[in-house]
Amino acid sequence: MNDRPCAAKRRAWPRWLVRALLVLGALAAGLMLWWLYSLDVHTRRSFILPCMNRLMLGVYCPGCGMSRALNALLHGAFYQALRYNPFVYVMVPLGAYLGADVFLRLWMGRRVLPRLPVSWKGWAALGVLLVLFGVARNLPWSPFTSWVPTYVLG
């Protein structure tokens, strides 16, 4: 007999539907990367949404410059990406690994990639580091003034 009398039976989605949605999601991610690569982020006509935090409060958030940093990475401008947002070198590999892990788990029906050896304390430390970076990049003294998203000529 069922231990939980009110529990409704969960039906799994058909495997073909899960795979079709995964393929569509991968295509959408690829199109977004191609679109970001094709933009010229240094002109006013480029369509990158401005940071709402920057518009409303006038301060840089920890993610300010991340789109331009990803664009610079796609073009191979590694120092420029660092100047836009140094956390791009943490967030892009982490996001790619976690995205690949979810994709492969849903596609194969089991875990394929090893679990990241990070406890909740590690994730909390990353969050605290991001908040501290967001506060520090708005301080008006050197060296913190060099942490704002900056375009490096040449």
Side-chain angles (χ1 to χ4, degrees):
M1 181 136 190
N2 193 355
D3 293 334
R4 298 179 298 178
C6 296
K9 290 192 176 189
R10 296 181 68 188
R11 293 187 56 192
W13 287 20
R15 192 168 225 26
W16 66 268
L17 181 60
V18 171
R19 288 188 172 180
L21 290 173
L22 287 172
V23 168
L24 286 176
L27 285 173
L31 282 173
M32 286 180 8
L33 285 175
W34 172 78
W35 173 73
L36 186 60
Y37 176 81
S38 66
L39 288 178
D40 183 11
V41 296
H42 307 297
T43 63
R44 290 290 235 177
R45 295 183 307 165
S46 70
F47 186 72
I48 290 183
L49 294 175
C51 176
M52 290 297 126
N53 188 44
R54 177 85 173 129
L55 281 178
M56 293 177 7
L57 300 176
V59 296
Y60 293 103
C61 72
C64 278
M66 193 63 81
S67 298
R68 290 175 285 170
L70 185 55
N71 177 279
L73 274 183
L74 290 172
H75 286 280
F78 300 111
Y79 180 68
Q80 181 61 62
L82 180 73
R83 289 304 307 252
Y84 280 140
N85 194 327
F87 269 99
V88 74
Y89 290 108
V90 174
M91 294 306 190
V92 167
L94 183 64
Y97 186 85
L98 292 176
D101 183 40
V102 168
F103 182 88
L104 289 172
R105 240 186 311 154
L106 289 172
W107 188 271
M108 305 288 275
R110 61 182 172 83
R111 182 175 287 280
V112 176
L113 295 176
R115 208 179 279 262
L116 283 176
V118 181
S119 67
W120 68 269
K121 292 177 184 176
W123 293 113
L126 180 63
V128 167
L129 194 62
L130 278 169
V131 169
L132 290 176
F133 173 69
V135 170
R137 77 186 317 194
N138 289 292
L139 295 175
W141 314 292
S142 181
F144 306 115
T145 54
S146 66
W147 292 1
V148 299
T150 308
Y151 175 62
V152 180
L153 297 175

